[in-house]
C-alpha cells in the first residue's frame, strides 16, 4: 500500500497522472494533489506519502525549490519533466528517478515498481537528495558530482576522477583516480549514455575510457595507457575509431 502526492501546476497533467495511478496501480491506495510547492508543503503537514511525483518546471517555486525546503524527506521523489537536459542530468547524476512528459503508463508502472523494490536507507536517500541540491546550484553540468549507489554505500566523485568504466555482466566496475575500483549495479550502457557529452571513448565492448586520462597508445595500437599507468584494451573493431577520436589517424 502506497500513498502518493502529485505536485504539478498543470491541471491536465495532475489529472492524467492520477488517472494512470488509479487505473493501473492498485498498490497506490491514496492520492493527494497539489498545484504548487506551497500547497504541497501544506499537505505534507498531515499527509505522509511514500512517493511524491514532482514536476520540475513550475512558476514561482519549482520542483527543486520544493526539495530544497524539505529537511530530511522520508518519501521517494519521482520527478516529472518535459525534456530539460540540465534538469535531467542533475537528477540522473544523483541516482534519482524521473519520468518524461507526457508520462507513459508503462514507464510510470516501472517507476513505481522501482520504488517498491528500493532498499535505500534513510541516510542513503538523504545523501542522494543532498547531492542533487548541490548539483542544481552549479552553473555547469561538468561540475556536477556523480552519485553511484553500490552494495558498500554511495560513492560520490567528479567526472574527471573517472579513469575508465568496465562492463561486468549487467554491472559496471568503475575505476577512479586514487581510489580502489567499485562495482555499480548499472550497465555500462547506462553510464555511457549519461557521460556521452563528456567525450568518453568506447575502446572495446567492455571498456569506456575517459579521454582526459589517456596519455598515449601502445606501440601495437592494442591498448590506451592512462595517467595512472593502467592499460585498457582496444578491440580490433574499435581501433580505427579510437585512433580517429584521438586525432592519430
Amino acid at each position: 500500500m502506497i500513498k502518493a502526492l502529485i505536485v504539478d501546476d498543470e491541471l491536465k497533467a495532475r489529472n492524467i497522472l492520477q488517472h494512470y495511478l488509479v487505473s493501473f496501480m492498485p498498490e497506490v491506495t491514496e492520492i493527494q494533489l497539489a498545484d504548487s510547492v506551497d500547497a504541497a508543503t501544506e499537505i505534507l503537514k498531515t499527509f505522509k506519502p511514500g512517493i511524491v511525483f514532482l514536476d520540475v518546471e513550475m512558476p514561482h517555486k519549482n520542483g527543486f525549490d520544493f526539495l530544497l525546503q524539505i529537511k530530511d524527506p522520508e518519501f521517494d521523489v519521482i520527478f516529472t519533466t518535459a525534456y530539460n537536459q540540465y534538469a535531467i542530468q542533475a537528477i540522473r547524476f544523483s541516482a534519482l528517478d524521473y519520468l518524461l512528459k507526457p508520462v507513459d503508463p508503462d514507464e510510470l508502472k516501472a517507476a513505481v515498481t522501482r520504488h517498491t523494490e528500493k532498499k535505500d536507507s534513510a541516510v542513503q536517500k538523504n545523501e542522494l537528495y543532498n547531492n542533487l541540491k548541490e548539483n542544481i546550484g552549479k552553473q555547469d553540468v561538468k561540475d556536477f558530482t556523480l552519485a553511484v549507489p553500490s552494495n558498500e554505500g554511495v560513492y560520490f566523485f567528479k567526472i574527471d576522477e573517472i579513469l575508465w568504466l568496465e562492463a561486468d555482466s549487467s554491472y559496471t566496475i568503475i575505476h577512479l583516480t586514487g581510489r580502489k575500483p567499485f562495482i555499480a549495479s548499472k550497465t555500462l550502457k547506462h553510464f555511457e549514455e549519461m557521460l556521452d557529452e563528456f567525450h568518453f571513448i568506447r575502446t572495446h565492448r567492455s571498456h569506456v575510457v575517459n579521454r582526459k586520462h589517456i596519455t598515449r597508445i601502445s606501440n601495437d595500437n592494442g591498448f590506451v595507457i592512462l595517467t595512472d599507468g593502467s592499460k585498457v584494451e582496444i578491440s580490433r573493431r574499435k581501433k580505427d575509431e579510437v585512433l580517429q577520436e584521438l586525432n592519430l589517424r
Side-chain angles (χ1 to χ4, degrees), residues 83-118:
Y83 192 77
N84 177 329
Q85 184 61 23
Y86 182 87
I88 290 171
Q89 282 289 57
I91 294 164
R92 293 183 79 189
F93 269 51
S94 297
L96 298 170
D97 216 343
Y98 71 94
L99 294 167
L100 281 177
K101 290 182 174 182
V103 173
D104 178 87
D106 290 332
E107 292 179 0
L108 175 61
K109 284 193 280 188
V112 173
T113 298
R114 285 193 294 272
H115 161 77
T116 59
E117 293 176 348
K118 268 187 178 179

Side-chain angles (χ1 to χ4, degrees), residues 192 196 199-205 207-209 211 214 217 221 224 234-249:
E192 184 179 27
D196 178 61
H199 309 296
F200 279 61
I201 300 174
R202 183 180 276 272
T203 65
H204 186 280
R205 67 178 183 179
H207 302 302
V208 172
V209 180
R211 177 199 299 255
I214 297 175
I217 291 183
N221 293 337
V224 289
I234 304 172
S235 69
R236 278 184 291 182
R237 289 179 57 192
K238 288 288 183 180
K239 191 169 295 185
D240 287 343
E241 183 180 329
V242 170
L243 292 174
Q244 189 170 2
E245 284 274 355
L246 297 174
N247 297 318
L248 296 174
R249 173 162 295 184

Side-chain angles (χ1 to χ4, degrees), residues 24 28 31 44 52 62 71 85 96 108-109 117-118 121 133 143 145-146 148 198 204 227 240 248:
F24 304 120
V28 180
I31 303 170
L44 288 177
V52 173
N62 62 31
K71 185 179 179 182
Q85 184 61 23
L96 298 170
L108 175 61
K109 284 193 280 188
E117 293 176 348
K118 268 187 178 179
S121 67
K133 293 172 184 179
D143 297 321
T145 297
L146 186 58
V148 179
F198 302 101
H204 186 280
T227 50
D240 287 343
L248 296 174

Side-chain angles (χ1 to χ4, degrees), residues 92-93 146-149 157 162 165-166 170-174 182-198 200 202 208:
R92 293 183 79 189
F93 269 51
L146 186 58
V148 179
F157 48 90
I162 303 171
L165 304 104
E166 179 182 0
S170 58
Y171 297 88
T172 300
I173 302 171
I174 299 181
F182 73 95
I183 299 175
S185 57
K186 297 285 186 181
T187 64
L188 183 62
K189 182 175 175 60
H190 167 86
F191 289 107
E192 184 179 27
E193 290 174 353
M194 185 187 298
L195 298 168
D196 178 61
E197 66 185 278
F198 302 101
F200 279 61
R202 183 180 276 272
V208 172

Side-chain angles (χ1 to χ4, degrees), residues 92-178:
R92 293 183 79 189
F93 269 51
S94 297
L96 298 170
D97 216 343
Y98 71 94
L99 294 167
L100 281 177
K101 290 182 174 182
V103 173
D104 178 87
D106 290 332
E107 292 179 0
L108 175 61
K109 284 193 280 188
V112 173
T113 298
R114 285 193 294 272
H115 161 77
T116 59
E117 293 176 348
K118 268 187 178 179
K119 296 180 175 61
D120 295 350
S121 67
V123 171
Q124 188 176 94
K125 186 184 302 184
N126 283 320
E127 286 179 336
L128 299 180
Y129 289 149
N130 288 335
N131 189 66
L132 175 63
K133 293 172 184 179
E134 290 183 11
N135 280 346
I136 59 179
K138 304 285 177 62
Q139 295 296 315
D140 197 311
V141 175
K142 68 178 175 57
D143 297 321
F144 284 178
T145 297
L146 186 58
V148 179
S150 75
N151 291 335
E152 301 169 353
V154 182
Y155 284 79
F156 296 94
F157 48 90
K158 301 292 187 182
I159 298 163
D160 284 351
E161 293 180 67
I162 303 171
L163 290 164
W164 89 97
L165 304 104
E166 179 182 0
D168 182 11
S169 186
S170 58
Y171 297 88
T172 300
I173 302 171
I174 299 181
H175 299 263
L176 301 171
T177 57

